[in-house]
Amino acid sequence: MVYKEAVDRFLEEINRKMYSDNTYRTYEIALYQYGKFCEDNKLDWKKKDTARKFVSYLVKGGYSPNSINLKISALSSFAEFCVDNEWLDKNMFVAMKVKAPKRLINYIPDETVDLLLSTIDDKYRPYIELMLYGGLRISEAVSVDSKNLYFDDNVLFCRVIGKGNKERITPILAPEEVKQRLSKLRKDDKITEGAVKEYLYRWSLKHGKHITAHMLRHTFATRAVQAGIPIEVVSKWLGHENLQTTMVYVTVTYERVKHYAKAVI
């Protein structure tokens, strides 16, 4: 049984069982990535060693343990389906799992941010900039219109309706030209959470990087803490109810300090 045919049969089965669109998409992406990895590296998709190499590739690619384990789970379900149909002798992903280290936030390195901003599609630019420069959640960013944005003493602020329908005010810490452009933003109903996530996924594949909407928000928070802004202020900007949730960004900056210290020694 060739890989593509097995995948098509498996996805038909998933579709027949009427799984949610998100679940179906998770399976589809994991299967596509595994197939492309095998094809690019001329590896046999049925081998346990190939599965291990794929997981190692994901780890080196910067995917979070949770994201990797989700892909492993999807691929393991596919492999079990193949075993049941006698296309495989054994499930090559069985009992495979990546351990999650102590939680550290994934922020985007400056050089990757520069690459993103220089290659981004203008259709998605304002929403990505709101997450990067304002720390908005993706659901909040796609809902913003010029009526939510205003200048006060040359600082651009955004009135955000966040979780639980709670309102907060957060500054947009962006270059002047970005602030001026965002202040004239007109909401596009065609730009949805799913559309932005899909765009970032395709951008990541094209450029060999790993960027998600939440990483943009993490990057905003990390930069704010590194700039010396009090943690309780950053917490309010992000809409965190618990200060402890924001404290993780202090850990991130400490890890970065250690990184640069080791580079000097």
Side-chain angles (χ1 to χ4, degrees), residues 232-248:
E232 63 272 18
V233 174
V234 177
S235 185
K236 287 186 180 297
W237 288 351
L238 293 172
H240 288 163
E241 291 189 1
N242 189 335
L243 186 62
Q244 200 61 37
T245 307
T246 321
M247 286 300 293
V248 69

Side-chain angles (χ1 to χ4, degrees), residues 132-181:
L132 177 65
Y133 293 123
L136 275 66
R137 299 178 178 93
I138 186 170
S139 58
E140 298 165 347
V142 297
S143 301
V144 170
D145 192 84
S146 58
K147 66 179 183 293
N148 302 100
L149 297 153
Y150 65 93
F151 279 100
D152 186 355
D153 199 17
N154 205 37
V155 177
L156 181 64
F157 289 94
C158 183
R159 186 176 289 105
V160 182
I161 305 300
K163 285 185 176 180
N165 214 30
K166 293 181 179 178
E167 183 178 302
R168 72 180 190 277
I169 304 296
T170 188
I172 306 301
L173 308 179
E176 188 62 31
E177 64 177 87
V178 175
K179 292 191 293 186
Q180 292 297 332
R181 185 173 63 250

Side-chain angles (χ1 to χ4, degrees), residues 1 17 26 37 45-46 53 78 81 89-90 94 106 122 142 150 169 177 189 214 229 239 255:
M1 172 64 70
K17 290 181 177 179
T26 297
F37 174 80
W45 66 274
K46 298 179 180 180
K53 287 178 179 176
F78 164 69
F81 176 80
D89 293 329
K90 292 181 181 179
V94 71
N106 280 331
D122 284 342
V142 297
Y150 65 93
I169 304 296
E177 64 177 87
D189 290 334
H214 219 58
I229 296 169
E255 289 299 316

Side-chain angles (χ1 to χ4, degrees), residues 102-250:
K102 184 179 178 182
R103 184 174 175 243
L104 286 177
I105 290 298
N106 280 331
Y107 61 88
I108 306 169
D110 292 343
E111 60 272 19
T112 304
V113 171
D114 292 341
L115 176 63
L116 176 66
L117 293 176
S118 65
T119 57
I120 199 171
D121 187 323
D122 284 342
K123 183 167 66 172
Y124 299 99
R125 179 179 293 278
Y127 309 100
I128 288 171
E129 288 175 338
L130 284 168
M131 291 184 280
L132 177 65
Y133 293 123
L136 275 66
R137 299 178 178 93
I138 186 170
S139 58
E140 298 165 347
V142 297
S143 301
V144 170
D145 192 84
S146 58
K147 66 179 183 293
N148 302 100
L149 297 153
Y150 65 93
F151 279 100
D152 186 355
D153 199 17
N154 205 37
V155 177
L156 181 64
F157 289 94
C158 183
R159 186 176 289 105
V160 182
I161 305 300
K163 285 185 176 180
N165 214 30
K166 293 181 179 178
E167 183 178 302
R168 72 180 190 277
I169 304 296
T170 188
I172 306 301
L173 308 179
E176 188 62 31
E177 64 177 87
V178 175
K179 292 191 293 186
Q180 292 297 332
R181 185 173 63 250
L182 286 175
S183 68
K184 301 177 179 67
L185 177 63
R186 292 288 179 269
K187 186 177 182 301
D188 184 346
D189 290 334
K190 293 179 182 177
I191 304 297
T192 62
E193 287 184 51
V196 177
K197 286 179 180 178
E198 177 70 18
Y199 174 74
L200 288 172
Y201 170 73
R202 286 189 283 106
W203 186 94
S204 296
L205 280 182
K206 179 179 179 180
H207 294 278
K209 304 292 181 182
H210 178 51
I211 290 183
T212 66
H214 219 58
M215 285 172 70
L216 292 164
R217 175 172 157 89
H218 291 330
T219 302
F220 165 82
T222 302
R223 286 177 167 183
V225 171
Q226 288 173 343
I229 296 169
I231 194 72
E232 63 272 18
V233 174
V234 177
S235 185
K236 287 186 180 297
W237 288 351
L238 293 172
H240 288 163
E241 291 189 1
N242 189 335
L243 186 62
Q244 200 61 37
T245 307
T246 321
M247 286 300 293
V248 69
Y249 297 105
V250 176

